[in-house]
Short mmCIF file of all heavy atoms in Angstrom, two decimals:
data_model
loop_
_atom_site.label_atom_id
_atom_site.label_comp_id
_atom_site.label_asym_id
_atom_site.label_seq_id
_atom_site.Cartn_x
_atom_site.Cartn_y
_atom_site.Cartn_z
N VAL A 1 -17.51 -20.89 -23.98
CA VAL A 1 -17.11 -21.84 -24.96
C VAL A 1 -15.74 -21.47 -25.60
O VAL A 1 -15.26 -20.32 -25.45
CB VAL A 1 -18.12 -21.98 -26.18
CG1 VAL A 1 -19.45 -22.45 -25.70
CG2 VAL A 1 -18.28 -20.72 -26.90
N ASP A 2 -15.10 -22.44 -26.30
CA ASP A 2 -13.84 -22.13 -26.98
C ASP A 2 -14.06 -21.28 -28.22
O ASP A 2 -15.11 -21.24 -28.78
CB ASP A 2 -13.20 -23.45 -27.48
CG ASP A 2 -12.35 -24.11 -26.35
OD1 ASP A 2 -12.22 -23.50 -25.31
OD2 ASP A 2 -11.93 -25.22 -26.67
N TRP A 3 -13.04 -20.44 -28.53
CA TRP A 3 -13.02 -19.76 -29.81
C TRP A 3 -11.72 -19.97 -30.49
O TRP A 3 -10.67 -19.62 -29.99
CB TRP A 3 -13.24 -18.23 -29.50
CG TRP A 3 -13.25 -17.48 -30.77
CD1 TRP A 3 -12.15 -16.82 -31.39
CD2 TRP A 3 -14.37 -17.17 -31.65
NE1 TRP A 3 -12.62 -16.18 -32.54
CE2 TRP A 3 -13.96 -16.40 -32.73
CE3 TRP A 3 -15.66 -17.56 -31.54
CZ2 TRP A 3 -14.79 -15.97 -33.71
CZ3 TRP A 3 -16.53 -17.06 -32.56
CH2 TRP A 3 -16.06 -16.31 -33.66
N ASN A 4 -11.81 -20.69 -31.61
CA ASN A 4 -10.53 -21.07 -32.28
C ASN A 4 -9.54 -21.80 -31.40
O ASN A 4 -8.29 -21.55 -31.46
CB ASN A 4 -9.89 -19.87 -32.93
CG ASN A 4 -10.73 -19.26 -33.98
OD1 ASN A 4 -11.53 -19.99 -34.68
ND2 ASN A 4 -10.61 -17.97 -34.27
N GLY A 5 -10.09 -22.58 -30.52
CA GLY A 5 -9.13 -23.40 -29.64
C GLY A 5 -8.57 -22.64 -28.47
O GLY A 5 -7.75 -23.17 -27.76
N VAL A 6 -8.96 -21.41 -28.29
CA VAL A 6 -8.46 -20.64 -27.14
C VAL A 6 -9.50 -20.68 -25.99
O VAL A 6 -10.63 -20.57 -26.14
CB VAL A 6 -8.24 -19.16 -27.53
CG1 VAL A 6 -7.78 -18.37 -26.36
CG2 VAL A 6 -7.25 -19.04 -28.71
N SER A 7 -8.96 -20.93 -24.80
CA SER A 7 -9.80 -21.01 -23.67
C SER A 7 -10.55 -19.72 -23.46
O SER A 7 -10.04 -18.64 -23.54
CB SER A 7 -9.00 -21.32 -22.41
OG SER A 7 -9.76 -21.18 -21.27
N THR A 8 -11.88 -19.82 -23.22
CA THR A 8 -12.66 -18.60 -23.01
C THR A 8 -13.19 -18.53 -21.64
O THR A 8 -14.06 -17.69 -21.31
CB THR A 8 -13.85 -18.59 -24.00
OG1 THR A 8 -14.66 -19.76 -23.70
CG2 THR A 8 -13.41 -18.61 -25.42
N LEU A 9 -12.66 -19.35 -20.73
CA LEU A 9 -13.08 -19.16 -19.33
C LEU A 9 -12.56 -17.76 -18.93
O LEU A 9 -11.43 -17.48 -19.20
CB LEU A 9 -12.44 -20.18 -18.42
CG LEU A 9 -12.93 -20.20 -16.95
CD1 LEU A 9 -14.40 -20.54 -16.91
CD2 LEU A 9 -12.12 -21.15 -16.15
N PRO A 10 -13.42 -16.92 -18.38
CA PRO A 10 -13.05 -15.54 -18.14
C PRO A 10 -11.89 -15.41 -17.28
O PRO A 10 -11.67 -16.16 -16.30
CB PRO A 10 -14.33 -14.91 -17.55
CG PRO A 10 -15.04 -16.07 -16.99
CD PRO A 10 -14.79 -17.20 -17.87
N LYS A 11 -10.95 -14.50 -17.63
CA LYS A 11 -9.87 -14.11 -16.76
C LYS A 11 -10.36 -13.31 -15.68
O LYS A 11 -10.83 -12.16 -15.96
CB LYS A 11 -8.77 -13.45 -17.63
CG LYS A 11 -8.29 -14.29 -18.80
CD LYS A 11 -7.28 -13.43 -19.60
CE LYS A 11 -6.80 -14.31 -20.83
NZ LYS A 11 -5.89 -13.48 -21.73
N MET A 12 -10.25 -13.66 -14.52
CA MET A 12 -10.70 -12.91 -13.33
C MET A 12 -9.53 -12.13 -12.78
O MET A 12 -8.54 -12.76 -12.34
CB MET A 12 -11.34 -13.81 -12.24
CG MET A 12 -12.39 -14.75 -12.81
SD MET A 12 -13.88 -13.81 -13.46
CE MET A 12 -14.90 -15.11 -13.82
N LEU A 13 -9.65 -10.81 -12.67
CA LEU A 13 -8.58 -10.01 -12.07
C LEU A 13 -9.04 -9.27 -10.89
O LEU A 13 -10.01 -8.51 -10.89
CB LEU A 13 -8.11 -9.00 -13.19
CG LEU A 13 -7.71 -9.57 -14.55
CD1 LEU A 13 -7.32 -8.43 -15.47
CD2 LEU A 13 -6.56 -10.54 -14.37
N ASN A 14 -8.37 -9.59 -9.70
CA ASN A 14 -8.71 -8.86 -8.46
C ASN A 14 -10.14 -9.10 -8.01
O ASN A 14 -10.75 -8.12 -7.46
CB ASN A 14 -8.39 -7.37 -8.63
CG ASN A 14 -6.94 -7.14 -9.06
OD1 ASN A 14 -6.00 -7.77 -8.53
ND2 ASN A 14 -6.79 -6.15 -9.97
N TRP A 15 -10.67 -10.25 -8.25
CA TRP A 15 -12.06 -10.51 -7.79
C TRP A 15 -12.12 -11.22 -6.48
O TRP A 15 -11.33 -12.08 -6.22
CB TRP A 15 -12.84 -11.33 -8.82
CG TRP A 15 -13.07 -10.53 -10.07
CD1 TRP A 15 -12.37 -9.57 -10.67
CD2 TRP A 15 -14.32 -10.70 -10.82
NE1 TRP A 15 -13.01 -9.05 -11.78
CE2 TRP A 15 -14.18 -9.78 -11.93
CE3 TRP A 15 -15.41 -11.55 -10.76
CZ2 TRP A 15 -15.18 -9.67 -12.91
CZ3 TRP A 15 -16.33 -11.45 -11.76
CH2 TRP A 15 -16.21 -10.52 -12.80
N THR A 16 -13.09 -10.84 -5.57
CA THR A 16 -13.31 -11.48 -4.33
C THR A 16 -13.90 -12.88 -4.57
O THR A 16 -13.55 -13.88 -4.05
CB THR A 16 -14.22 -10.70 -3.44
OG1 THR A 16 -13.61 -9.42 -3.20
CG2 THR A 16 -14.44 -11.36 -2.07
N ASN A 17 -14.97 -12.89 -5.47
CA ASN A 17 -15.57 -14.16 -5.85
C ASN A 17 -15.57 -14.22 -7.41
O ASN A 17 -15.54 -13.16 -8.09
CB ASN A 17 -17.06 -14.21 -5.37
CG ASN A 17 -17.13 -14.18 -3.88
OD1 ASN A 17 -16.42 -14.89 -3.17
ND2 ASN A 17 -17.95 -13.28 -3.34
N SER A 18 -15.72 -15.42 -7.88
CA SER A 18 -15.75 -15.57 -9.32
C SER A 18 -17.13 -15.64 -9.90
O SER A 18 -17.56 -14.80 -10.72
CB SER A 18 -14.94 -16.82 -9.80
OG SER A 18 -13.65 -16.69 -9.41
N PHE A 19 -17.92 -16.65 -9.40
CA PHE A 19 -19.32 -16.81 -9.86
C PHE A 19 -20.22 -16.88 -8.67
O PHE A 19 -19.93 -17.57 -7.63
CB PHE A 19 -19.40 -18.17 -10.69
CG PHE A 19 -18.52 -18.16 -11.98
CD1 PHE A 19 -17.27 -18.63 -11.94
CD2 PHE A 19 -19.04 -17.56 -13.18
CE1 PHE A 19 -16.49 -18.64 -13.10
CE2 PHE A 19 -18.30 -17.63 -14.27
CZ PHE A 19 -17.04 -18.12 -14.26
N ASP A 20 -21.38 -16.34 -8.81
CA ASP A 20 -22.40 -16.35 -7.76
C ASP A 20 -23.73 -16.54 -8.40
O ASP A 20 -24.15 -15.92 -9.27
CB ASP A 20 -22.42 -15.00 -7.04
CG ASP A 20 -23.23 -14.95 -5.78
OD1 ASP A 20 -23.77 -16.07 -5.40
OD2 ASP A 20 -23.43 -13.88 -5.17
N CYS A 21 -24.42 -17.70 -7.94
CA CYS A 21 -25.73 -18.10 -8.54
C CYS A 21 -26.84 -18.29 -7.51
O CYS A 21 -26.48 -18.52 -6.29
CB CYS A 21 -25.58 -19.37 -9.33
SG CYS A 21 -24.22 -19.43 -10.52
N TRP A 22 -27.96 -18.15 -7.92
CA TRP A 22 -29.16 -18.44 -7.04
C TRP A 22 -30.32 -18.82 -7.87
O TRP A 22 -30.46 -18.57 -9.07
CB TRP A 22 -29.50 -17.20 -6.18
CG TRP A 22 -29.88 -15.97 -6.89
CD1 TRP A 22 -31.12 -15.57 -7.34
CD2 TRP A 22 -28.96 -14.98 -7.38
NE1 TRP A 22 -31.05 -14.40 -8.02
CE2 TRP A 22 -29.77 -13.96 -8.09
CE3 TRP A 22 -27.59 -14.80 -7.30
CZ2 TRP A 22 -29.23 -12.86 -8.66
CZ3 TRP A 22 -27.07 -13.71 -7.91
CH2 TRP A 22 -27.87 -12.72 -8.55
N ASN A 23 -31.30 -19.63 -7.24
CA ASN A 23 -32.51 -20.06 -7.81
C ASN A 23 -32.29 -20.73 -9.19
O ASN A 23 -32.90 -20.46 -10.15
CB ASN A 23 -33.51 -18.89 -8.02
CG ASN A 23 -34.01 -18.37 -6.71
OD1 ASN A 23 -33.93 -19.00 -5.69
ND2 ASN A 23 -34.61 -17.17 -6.74
N GLY A 24 -31.33 -21.69 -9.17
CA GLY A 24 -31.13 -22.49 -10.40
C GLY A 24 -30.22 -21.85 -11.41
O GLY A 24 -30.17 -22.36 -12.55
N GLY A 25 -29.53 -20.80 -11.11
CA GLY A 25 -28.61 -20.22 -12.05
C GLY A 25 -27.53 -21.20 -12.48
O GLY A 25 -27.04 -21.97 -11.65
N ARG A 26 -27.21 -21.27 -13.75
CA ARG A 26 -26.40 -22.35 -14.31
C ARG A 26 -25.13 -21.77 -15.00
O ARG A 26 -25.22 -20.79 -15.77
CB ARG A 26 -27.28 -23.12 -15.29
CG ARG A 26 -26.52 -24.25 -16.03
CD ARG A 26 -27.45 -24.82 -17.13
NE ARG A 26 -26.81 -25.94 -17.85
CZ ARG A 26 -26.94 -27.21 -17.58
NH1 ARG A 26 -27.74 -27.58 -16.62
NH2 ARG A 26 -26.35 -28.10 -18.35
N ILE A 27 -24.00 -22.40 -14.73
CA ILE A 27 -22.73 -22.06 -15.42
C ILE A 27 -22.27 -23.27 -16.22
O ILE A 27 -22.09 -24.31 -15.61
CB ILE A 27 -21.69 -21.68 -14.39
CG1 ILE A 27 -22.16 -20.55 -13.44
CG2 ILE A 27 -20.40 -21.34 -15.09
CD1 ILE A 27 -22.33 -19.23 -14.18
N ASP A 28 -22.15 -23.16 -17.54
CA ASP A 28 -21.64 -24.13 -18.32
C ASP A 28 -20.26 -23.71 -18.83
O ASP A 28 -20.15 -22.63 -19.44
CB ASP A 28 -22.53 -24.46 -19.60
CG ASP A 28 -23.88 -25.08 -19.11
OD1 ASP A 28 -23.97 -25.49 -18.01
OD2 ASP A 28 -24.77 -24.99 -19.99
N ILE A 29 -19.26 -24.56 -18.68
CA ILE A 29 -17.97 -24.25 -19.24
C ILE A 29 -17.47 -25.38 -20.17
O ILE A 29 -17.35 -26.45 -19.76
CB ILE A 29 -16.97 -24.06 -18.09
CG1 ILE A 29 -17.41 -22.86 -17.16
CG2 ILE A 29 -15.58 -23.82 -18.63
CD1 ILE A 29 -16.44 -22.63 -16.00
#
């Protein structure tokens, strides 16, 4: 979620993958 209007989507540095889910894992942005 936002914090004081600042984007809180994580900054990914040097990652092969960003998000990995299974069995109904949920990502809300």
